[in-house]
mmCIF file with all atom_site columns, all heavy atoms in Angstrom:
data_model
loop_
_atom_site.group_PDB
_atom_site.id
_atom_site.type_symbol
_atom_site.label_atom_id
_atom_site.label_alt_id
_atom_site.label_comp_id
_atom_site.label_asym_id
_atom_site.label_entity_id
_atom_site.label_seq_id
_atom_site.pdbx_PDB_ins_code
_atom_site.Cartn_x
_atom_site.Cartn_y
_atom_site.Cartn_z
_atom_site.occupancy
_atom_site.B_iso_or_equiv
_atom_site.pdbx_formal_charge
_atom_site.auth_seq_id
_atom_site.auth_comp_id
_atom_site.auth_asym_id
_atom_site.auth_atom_id
_atom_site.pdbx_PDB_model_num
ATOM 1   N N   . LEU A 1 303 ? 23.134 -9.613  90.052 1.00 0.00 ? 331 LEU A N   1
ATOM 2   C CA  . LEU A 1 303 ? 21.772 -9.813  89.561 1.00 0.00 ? 331 LEU A CA  1
ATOM 3   C C   . LEU A 1 303 ? 20.912 -8.571  89.786 1.00 0.00 ? 331 LEU A C   1
ATOM 4   O O   . LEU A 1 303 ? 20.033 -8.262  88.970 1.00 0.00 ? 331 LEU A O   1
ATOM 5   C CB  . LEU A 1 303 ? 21.144 -11.023 90.254 1.00 0.00 ? 331 LEU A CB  1
ATOM 6   C CG  . LEU A 1 303 ? 21.679 -12.388 89.811 1.00 0.00 ? 331 LEU A CG  1
ATOM 7   C CD1 . LEU A 1 303 ? 21.033 -13.494 90.624 1.00 0.00 ? 331 LEU A CD1 1
ATOM 8   C CD2 . LEU A 1 303 ? 21.407 -12.605 88.334 1.00 0.00 ? 331 LEU A CD2 1
ATOM 9   N N   . ALA A 1 304 ? 21.150 -7.854  90.877 1.00 0.00 ? 332 ALA A N   1
ATOM 10  C CA  . ALA A 1 304 ? 20.426 -6.596  91.086 1.00 0.00 ? 332 ALA A CA  1
ATOM 11  C C   . ALA A 1 304 ? 20.768 -5.586  89.999 1.00 0.00 ? 332 ALA A C   1
ATOM 12  O O   . ALA A 1 304 ? 19.894 -4.852  89.510 1.00 0.00 ? 332 ALA A O   1
ATOM 13  C CB  . ALA A 1 304 ? 20.751 -6.034  92.470 1.00 0.00 ? 332 ALA A CB  1
ATOM 14  N N   . ALA A 1 305 ? 22.030 -5.549  89.586 1.00 0.00 ? 333 ALA A N   1
ATOM 15  C CA  . ALA A 1 305 ? 22.422 -4.661  88.484 1.00 0.00 ? 333 ALA A CA  1
ATOM 16  C C   . ALA A 1 305 ? 21.773 -5.090  87.174 1.00 0.00 ? 333 ALA A C   1
ATOM 17  O O   . ALA A 1 305 ? 21.392 -4.257  86.347 1.00 0.00 ? 333 ALA A O   1
ATOM 18  C CB  . ALA A 1 305 ? 23.943 -4.648  88.344 1.00 0.00 ? 333 ALA A CB  1
ATOM 19  N N   . VAL A 1 306 ? 21.606 -6.405  86.976 1.00 0.00 ? 334 VAL A N   1
ATOM 20  C CA  . VAL A 1 306 ? 20.931 -6.900  85.767 1.00 0.00 ? 334 VAL A CA  1
ATOM 21  C C   . VAL A 1 306 ? 19.473 -6.460  85.750 1.00 0.00 ? 334 VAL A C   1
ATOM 22  O O   . VAL A 1 306 ? 18.946 -6.019  84.717 1.00 0.00 ? 334 VAL A O   1
ATOM 23  C CB  . VAL A 1 306 ? 21.055 -8.433  85.686 1.00 0.00 ? 334 VAL A CB  1
ATOM 24  C CG1 . VAL A 1 306 ? 20.125 -8.992  84.614 1.00 0.00 ? 334 VAL A CG1 1
ATOM 25  C CG2 . VAL A 1 306 ? 22.483 -8.833  85.387 1.00 0.00 ? 334 VAL A CG2 1
ATOM 26  N N   . ARG A 1 307 ? 18.800 -6.562  86.882 1.00 0.00 ? 335 ARG A N   1
ATOM 27  C CA  . ARG A 1 307 ? 17.397 -6.130  86.947 1.00 0.00 ? 335 ARG A CA  1
ATOM 28  C C   . ARG A 1 307 ? 17.270 -4.637  86.663 1.00 0.00 ? 335 ARG A C   1
ATOM 29  O O   . ARG A 1 307 ? 16.335 -4.191  85.984 1.00 0.00 ? 335 ARG A O   1
ATOM 30  C CB  . ARG A 1 307 ? 16.827 -6.446  88.334 1.00 0.00 ? 335 ARG A CB  1
ATOM 31  C CG  . ARG A 1 307 ? 16.811 -7.921  88.680 1.00 0.00 ? 335 ARG A CG  1
ATOM 32  C CD  . ARG A 1 307 ? 15.835 -8.688  87.816 1.00 0.00 ? 335 ARG A CD  1
ATOM 33  N NE  . ARG A 1 307 ? 15.798 -10.101 88.161 1.00 0.00 ? 335 ARG A NE  1
ATOM 34  C CZ  . ARG A 1 307 ? 16.524 -11.036 87.571 1.00 0.00 ? 335 ARG A CZ  1
ATOM 35  N NH1 . ARG A 1 307 ? 17.354 -10.694 86.589 1.00 0.00 ? 335 ARG A NH1 1
ATOM 36  N NH2 . ARG A 1 307 ? 16.430 -12.298 87.935 1.00 0.00 ? 335 ARG A NH2 1
ATOM 37  N N   . GLN A 1 308 ? 18.208 -3.856  87.171 1.00 0.00 ? 336 GLN A N   1
ATOM 38  C CA  . GLN A 1 308 ? 18.178 -2.424  86.907 1.00 0.00 ? 336 GLN A CA  1
ATOM 39  C C   . GLN A 1 308 ? 18.401 -2.135  85.425 1.00 0.00 ? 336 GLN A C   1
ATOM 40  O O   . GLN A 1 308 ? 17.758 -1.254  84.837 1.00 0.00 ? 336 GLN A O   1
ATOM 41  C CB  . GLN A 1 308 ? 19.244 -1.720  87.748 1.00 0.00 ? 336 GLN A CB  1
ATOM 42  C CG  . GLN A 1 308 ? 19.302 -0.220  87.548 1.00 0.00 ? 336 GLN A CG  1
ATOM 43  C CD  . GLN A 1 308 ? 18.013 0.460   87.938 1.00 0.00 ? 336 GLN A CD  1
ATOM 44  O OE1 . GLN A 1 308 ? 17.319 0.000   88.840 1.00 0.00 ? 336 GLN A OE1 1
ATOM 45  N NE2 . GLN A 1 308 ? 17.678 1.543   87.263 1.00 0.00 ? 336 GLN A NE2 1
ATOM 46  N N   . ALA A 1 309 ? 19.308 -2.881  84.790 1.00 0.00 ? 337 ALA A N   1
ATOM 47  C CA  . ALA A 1 309 ? 19.551 -2.694  83.354 1.00 0.00 ? 337 ALA A CA  1
ATOM 48  C C   . ALA A 1 309 ? 18.321 -3.073  82.537 1.00 0.00 ? 337 ALA A C   1
ATOM 49  O O   . ALA A 1 309 ? 18.030 -2.447  81.509 1.00 0.00 ? 337 ALA A O   1
ATOM 50  C CB  . ALA A 1 309 ? 20.759 -3.524  82.919 1.00 0.00 ? 337 ALA A CB  1
ATOM 51  N N   . GLU A 1 310 ? 17.576 -4.077  82.972 1.00 0.00 ? 338 GLU A N   1
ATOM 52  C CA  . GLU A 1 310 ? 16.340 -4.444  82.273 1.00 0.00 ? 338 GLU A CA  1
ATOM 53  C C   . GLU A 1 310 ? 15.319 -3.312  82.334 1.00 0.00 ? 338 GLU A C   1
ATOM 54  O O   . GLU A 1 310 ? 14.625 -3.031  81.347 1.00 0.00 ? 338 GLU A O   1
ATOM 55  C CB  . GLU A 1 310 ? 15.763 -5.716  82.897 1.00 0.00 ? 338 GLU A CB  1
ATOM 56  C CG  . GLU A 1 310 ? 16.571 -6.972  82.615 1.00 0.00 ? 338 GLU A CG  1
ATOM 57  C CD  . GLU A 1 310 ? 15.981 -8.187  83.308 1.00 0.00 ? 338 GLU A CD  1
ATOM 58  O OE1 . GLU A 1 310 ? 15.022 -8.004  84.096 1.00 0.00 ? 338 GLU A OE1 1
ATOM 59  O OE2 . GLU A 1 310 ? 16.477 -9.302  83.072 1.00 0.00 ? 338 GLU A OE2 1
ATOM 60  N N   . GLN A 1 311 ? 15.219 -2.654  83.469 1.00 0.00 ? 339 GLN A N   1
ATOM 61  C CA  . GLN A 1 311 ? 14.295 -1.522  83.583 1.00 0.00 ? 339 GLN A CA  1
ATOM 62  C C   . GLN A 1 311 ? 14.714 -0.373  82.670 1.00 0.00 ? 339 GLN A C   1
ATOM 63  O O   . GLN A 1 311 ? 13.869 0.267   82.032 1.00 0.00 ? 339 GLN A O   1
ATOM 64  C CB  . GLN A 1 311 ? 14.231 -1.059  85.039 1.00 0.00 ? 339 GLN A CB  1
ATOM 65  C CG  . GLN A 1 311 ? 13.652 -2.083  85.993 1.00 0.00 ? 339 GLN A CG  1
ATOM 66  C CD  . GLN A 1 311 ? 13.665 -1.607  87.432 1.00 0.00 ? 339 GLN A CD  1
ATOM 67  O OE1 . GLN A 1 311 ? 14.019 -0.458  87.718 1.00 0.00 ? 339 GLN A OE1 1
ATOM 68  N NE2 . GLN A 1 311 ? 13.287 -2.483  88.358 1.00 0.00 ? 339 GLN A NE2 1
ATOM 69  N N   . GLN A 1 312 ? 15.999 -0.118  82.589 1.00 0.00 ? 340 GLN A N   1
ATOM 70  C CA  . GLN A 1 312 ? 16.468 0.945   81.699 1.00 0.00 ? 340 GLN A CA  1
ATOM 71  C C   . GLN A 1 312 ? 16.185 0.611   80.237 1.00 0.00 ? 340 GLN A C   1
ATOM 72  O O   . GLN A 1 312 ? 15.833 1.492   79.446 1.00 0.00 ? 340 GLN A O   1
ATOM 73  C CB  . GLN A 1 312 ? 17.965 1.168   81.906 1.00 0.00 ? 340 GLN A CB  1
ATOM 74  C CG  . GLN A 1 312 ? 18.317 1.771   83.250 1.00 0.00 ? 340 GLN A CG  1
ATOM 75  C CD  . GLN A 1 312 ? 19.802 1.999   83.394 1.00 0.00 ? 340 GLN A CD  1
ATOM 76  O OE1 . GLN A 1 312 ? 20.581 1.608   82.535 1.00 0.00 ? 340 GLN A OE1 1
ATOM 77  N NE2 . GLN A 1 312 ? 20.198 2.621   84.487 1.00 0.00 ? 340 GLN A NE2 1
ATOM 78  N N   . LEU A 1 313 ? 16.306 -0.656  79.860 1.00 0.00 ? 341 LEU A N   1
ATOM 79  C CA  . LEU A 1 313 ? 15.994 -1.056  78.487 1.00 0.00 ? 341 LEU A CA  1
ATOM 80  C C   . LEU A 1 313 ? 14.513 -0.870  78.186 1.00 0.00 ? 341 LEU A C   1
ATOM 81  O O   . LEU A 1 313 ? 14.138 -0.394  77.106 1.00 0.00 ? 341 LEU A O   1
ATOM 82  C CB  . LEU A 1 313 ? 16.406 -2.509  78.268 1.00 0.00 ? 341 LEU A CB  1
ATOM 83  C CG  . LEU A 1 313 ? 16.078 -3.107  76.897 1.00 0.00 ? 341 LEU A CG  1
ATOM 84  C CD1 . LEU A 1 313 ? 16.773 -2.332  75.789 1.00 0.00 ? 341 LEU A CD1 1
ATOM 85  C CD2 . LEU A 1 313 ? 16.471 -4.577  76.846 1.00 0.00 ? 341 LEU A CD2 1
ATOM 86  N N   . ALA A 1 314 ? 13.658 -1.222  79.142 1.00 0.00 ? 342 ALA A N   1
ATOM 87  C CA  . ALA A 1 314 ? 12.222 -1.039  78.937 1.00 0.00 ? 342 ALA A CA  1
ATOM 88  C C   . ALA A 1 314 ? 11.869 0.438   78.789 1.00 0.00 ? 342 ALA A C   1
ATOM 89  O O   . ALA A 1 314 ? 11.046 0.814   77.948 1.00 0.00 ? 342 ALA A O   1
ATOM 90  C CB  . ALA A 1 314 ? 11.448 -1.661  80.102 1.00 0.00 ? 342 ALA A CB  1
ATOM 91  N N   . VAL A 1 315 ? 12.510 1.282   79.578 1.00 0.00 ? 343 VAL A N   1
ATOM 92  C CA  . VAL A 1 315 ? 12.250 2.721   79.476 1.00 0.00 ? 343 VAL A CA  1
ATOM 93  C C   . VAL A 1 315 ? 12.740 3.261   78.137 1.00 0.00 ? 343 VAL A C   1
ATOM 94  O O   . VAL A 1 315 ? 12.072 4.066   77.483 1.00 0.00 ? 343 VAL A O   1
ATOM 95  C CB  . VAL A 1 315 ? 12.915 3.462   80.653 1.00 0.00 ? 343 VAL A CB  1
ATOM 96  C CG1 . VAL A 1 315 ? 12.855 4.965   80.445 1.00 0.00 ? 343 VAL A CG1 1
ATOM 97  C CG2 . VAL A 1 315 ? 12.235 3.093   81.961 1.00 0.00 ? 343 VAL A CG2 1
ATOM 98  N N   . ALA A 1 316 ? 13.910 2.815   77.691 1.00 0.00 ? 344 ALA A N   1
ATOM 99  C CA  . ALA A 1 316 ? 14.465 3.295   76.417 1.00 0.00 ? 344 ALA A CA  1
ATOM 100 C C   . ALA A 1 316 ? 13.600 2.865   75.241 1.00 0.00 ? 344 ALA A C   1
ATOM 101 O O   . ALA A 1 316 ? 13.455 3.603   74.260 1.00 0.00 ? 344 ALA A O   1
ATOM 102 C CB  . ALA A 1 316 ? 15.888 2.780   76.238 1.00 0.00 ? 344 ALA A CB  1
ATOM 103 N N   . GLN A 1 317 ? 13.004 1.680   75.301 1.00 0.00 ? 345 GLN A N   1
ATOM 104 C CA  . GLN A 1 317 ? 12.139 1.231   74.215 1.00 0.00 ? 345 GLN A CA  1
ATOM 105 C C   . GLN A 1 317 ? 10.794 1.941   74.222 1.00 0.00 ? 345 GLN A C   1
ATOM 106 O O   . GLN A 1 317 ? 10.120 2.000   73.194 1.00 0.00 ? 345 GLN A O   1
ATOM 107 C CB  . GLN A 1 317 ? 11.919 -0.280  74.319 1.00 0.00 ? 345 GLN A CB  1
ATOM 108 C CG  . GLN A 1 317 ? 13.156 -1.094  73.995 1.00 0.00 ? 345 GLN A CG  1
ATOM 109 C CD  . GLN A 1 317 ? 12.933 -2.581  74.182 1.00 0.00 ? 345 GLN A CD  1
ATOM 110 O OE1 . GLN A 1 317 ? 12.051 -3.003  74.930 1.00 0.00 ? 345 GLN A OE1 1
ATOM 111 N NE2 . GLN A 1 317 ? 13.740 -3.390  73.512 1.00 0.00 ? 345 GLN A NE2 1
ATOM 112 N N   . THR A 1 318 ? 10.406 2.496   75.364 1.00 0.00 ? 346 THR A N   1
ATOM 113 C CA  . THR A 1 318 ? 9.118  3.187   75.462 1.00 0.00 ? 346 THR A CA  1
ATOM 114 C C   . THR A 1 318 ? 9.234  4.641   75.045 1.00 0.00 ? 346 THR A C   1
ATOM 115 O O   . THR A 1 318 ? 8.386  5.166   74.317 1.00 0.00 ? 346 THR A O   1
ATOM 116 C CB  . THR A 1 318 ? 8.575  3.109   76.899 1.00 0.00 ? 346 THR A CB  1
ATOM 117 O OG1 . THR A 1 318 ? 8.477  1.734   77.274 1.00 0.00 ? 346 THR A OG1 1
ATOM 118 C CG2 . THR A 1 318 ? 7.209  3.763   76.992 1.00 0.00 ? 346 THR A CG2 1
ATOM 119 N N   . TRP A 1 319 ? 10.280 5.314   75.473 1.00 0.00 ? 347 TRP A N   1
ATOM 120 C CA  . TRP A 1 319 ? 10.437 6.733   75.173 1.00 0.00 ? 347 TRP A CA  1
ATOM 121 C C   . TRP A 1 319 ? 10.806 6.929   73.717 1.00 0.00 ? 347 TRP A C   1
ATOM 122 O O   . TRP A 1 319 ? 11.546 6.156   73.123 1.00 0.00 ? 347 TRP A O   1
ATOM 123 C CB  . TRP A 1 319 ? 11.525 7.349   76.040 1.00 0.00 ? 347 TRP A CB  1
ATOM 124 C CG  . TRP A 1 319 ? 11.153 7.426   77.485 1.00 0.00 ? 347 TRP A CG  1
ATOM 125 C CD1 . TRP A 1 319 ? 9.926  7.215   78.035 1.00 0.00 ? 347 TRP A CD1 1
ATOM 126 C CD2 . TRP A 1 319 ? 12.031 7.715   78.575 1.00 0.00 ? 347 TRP A CD2 1
ATOM 127 N NE1 . TRP A 1 319 ? 9.973  7.359   79.387 1.00 0.00 ? 347 TRP A NE1 1
ATOM 128 C CE2 . TRP A 1 319 ? 11.254 7.668   79.749 1.00 0.00 ? 347 TRP A CE2 1
ATOM 129 C CE3 . TRP A 1 319 ? 13.375 8.012   78.662 1.00 0.00 ? 347 TRP A CE3 1
ATOM 130 C CZ2 . TRP A 1 319 ? 11.791 7.911   80.998 1.00 0.00 ? 347 TRP A CZ2 1
ATOM 131 C CZ3 . TRP A 1 319 ? 13.913 8.249   79.906 1.00 0.00 ? 347 TRP A CZ3 1
ATOM 132 C CH2 . TRP A 1 319 ? 13.121 8.200   81.052 1.00 0.00 ? 347 TRP A CH2 1
ATOM 133 N N   . SER A 1 320 ? 10.289 8.006   73.138 1.00 0.00 ? 348 SER A N   1
ATOM 134 C CA  . SER A 1 320 ? 10.712 8.402   71.795 1.00 0.00 ? 348 SER A CA  1
ATOM 135 C C   . SER A 1 320 ? 11.979 9.226   71.834 1.00 0.00 ? 348 SER A C   1
ATOM 136 O O   . SER A 1 320 ? 12.680 9.358   70.846 1.00 0.00 ? 348 SER A O   1
ATOM 137 C CB  . SER A 1 320 ? 9.612  9.217   71.103 1.00 0.00 ? 348 SER A CB  1
ATOM 138 O OG  . SER A 1 320 ? 9.321  10.384  71.850 1.00 0.00 ? 348 SER A OG  1
ATOM 139 N N   . LEU A 1 321 ? 12.287 9.792   73.008 1.00 0.00 ? 349 LEU A N   1
ATOM 140 C CA  . LEU A 1 321 ? 13.524 10.558  73.174 1.00 0.00 ? 349 LEU A CA  1
ATOM 141 C C   . LEU A 1 321 ? 14.012 10.344  74.587 1.00 0.00 ? 349 LEU A C   1
ATOM 142 O O   . LEU A 1 321 ? 13.260 10.489  75.542 1.00 0.00 ? 349 LEU A O   1
ATOM 143 C CB  . LEU A 1 321 ? 13.300 12.047  72.925 1.00 0.00 ? 349 LEU A CB  1
ATOM 144 C CG  . LEU A 1 321 ? 14.544 12.927  72.909 1.00 0.00 ? 349 LEU A CG  1
ATOM 145 C CD1 . LEU A 1 321 ? 15.371 12.607  71.673 1.00 0.00 ? 349 LEU A CD1 1
ATOM 146 C CD2 . LEU A 1 321 ? 14.179 14.397  72.883 1.00 0.00 ? 349 LEU A CD2 1
ATOM 147 N N   . ASN A 1 322 ? 15.283 9.956   74.716 1.00 0.00 ? 350 ASN A N   1
ATOM 148 C CA  . ASN A 1 322 ? 15.851 9.689   76.025 1.00 0.00 ? 350 ASN A CA  1
ATOM 149 C C   . ASN A 1 322 ? 16.232 11.012  76.676 1.00 0.00 ? 350 ASN A C   1
ATOM 150 O O   . ASN A 1 322 ? 17.111 11.717  76.215 1.00 0.00 ? 350 ASN A O   1
ATOM 151 C CB  . ASN A 1 322 ? 17.090 8.792   75.871 1.00 0.00 ? 350 ASN A CB  1
ATOM 152 C CG  . ASN A 1 322 ? 17.518 8.203   77.193 1.00 0.00 ? 350 ASN A CG  1
ATOM 153 O OD1 . ASN A 1 322 ? 17.337 8.809   78.242 1.00 0.00 ? 350 ASN A OD1 1
ATOM 154 N ND2 . ASN A 1 322 ? 18.073 7.011   77.138 1.00 0.00 ? 350 ASN A ND2 1
ATOM 155 N N   . ASP A 1 323 ? 15.549 11.355  77.775 1.00 0.00 ? 351 ASP A N   1
ATOM 156 C CA  . ASP A 1 323 ? 15.790 12.641  78.419 1.00 0.00 ? 351 ASP A CA  1
ATOM 157 C C   . ASP A 1 323 ? 17.133 12.695  79.135 1.00 0.00 ? 351 ASP A C   1
ATOM 158 O O   . ASP A 1 323 ? 17.650 13.767  79.403 1.00 0.00 ? 351 ASP A O   1
ATOM 159 C CB  . ASP A 1 323 ? 14.676 12.932  79.433 1.00 0.00 ? 351 ASP A CB  1
ATOM 160 C CG  . ASP A 1 323 ? 13.329 13.093  78.748 1.00 0.00 ? 351 ASP A CG  1
ATOM 161 O OD1 . ASP A 1 323 ? 13.336 13.476  77.567 1.00 0.00 ? 351 ASP A OD1 1
ATOM 162 O OD2 . ASP A 1 323 ? 12.296 12.834  79.379 1.00 0.00 ? 351 ASP A OD2 1
ATOM 163 N N   . VAL A 1 324 ? 17.697 11.531  79.469 1.00 0.00 ? 352 VAL A N   1
ATOM 164 C CA  . VAL A 1 324 ? 18.943 11.529  80.227 1.00 0.00 ? 352 VAL A CA  1
ATOM 165 C C   . VAL A 1 324 ? 20.119 11.877  79.330 1.00 0.00 ? 352 VAL A C   1
ATOM 166 O O   . VAL A 1 324 ? 20.925 12.738  79.619 1.00 0.00 ? 352 VAL A O   1
ATOM 167 C CB  . VAL A 1 324 ? 19.146 10.156  80.900 1.00 0.00 ? 352 VAL A CB  1
ATOM 168 C CG1 . VAL A 1 324 ? 20.494 10.105  81.598 1.00 0.00 ? 352 VAL A CG1 1
ATOM 169 C CG2 . VAL A 1 324 ? 18.018 9.897   81.882 1.00 0.00 ? 352 VAL A CG2 1
ATOM 170 N N   . THR A 1 325 ? 20.220 11.203  78.200 1.00 0.00 ? 353 THR A N   1
ATOM 171 C CA  . THR A 1 325 ? 21.369 11.401  77.326 1.00 0.00 ? 353 THR A CA  1
ATOM 172 C C   . THR A 1 325 ? 21.091 12.360  76.194 1.00 0.00 ? 353 THR A C   1
ATOM 173 O O   . THR A 1 325 ? 22.006 12.832  75.547 1.00 0.00 ? 353 THR A O   1
ATOM 174 C CB  . THR A 1 325 ? 21.809 10.057  76.743 1.00 0.00 ? 353 THR A CB  1
ATOM 175 O OG1 . THR A 1 325 ? 20.710 9.487   76.009 1.00 0.00 ? 353 THR A OG1 1
ATOM 176 C CG2 . THR A 1 325 ? 22.208 9.099   77.846 1.00 0.00 ? 353 THR A CG2 1
ATOM 177 N N   . GLY A 1 326 ? 19.815 12.650  75.900 1.00 0.00 ? 354 GLY A N   1
ATOM 178 C CA  . GLY A 1 326 ? 19.506 13.557  74.812 1.00 0.00 ? 354 GLY A CA  1
ATOM 179 C C   . GLY A 1 326 ? 19.694 12.951  73.447 1.00 0.00 ? 354 GLY A C   1
ATOM 180 O O   . GLY A 1 326 ? 19.771 13.663  72.462 1.00 0.00 ? 354 GLY A O   1
#
Side-chain angles (χ1 to χ4, degrees):
L331 287 177
V334 168
R335 298 293 181 266
Q336 180 62 31
E338 290 178 354
Q339 296 177 5
Q340 291 181 354
L341 177 60
V343 171
Q345 290 177 337
T346 303
W347 291 349
S348 60
L349 187 69
N350 194 329
D351 295 334
V352 175
T353 59

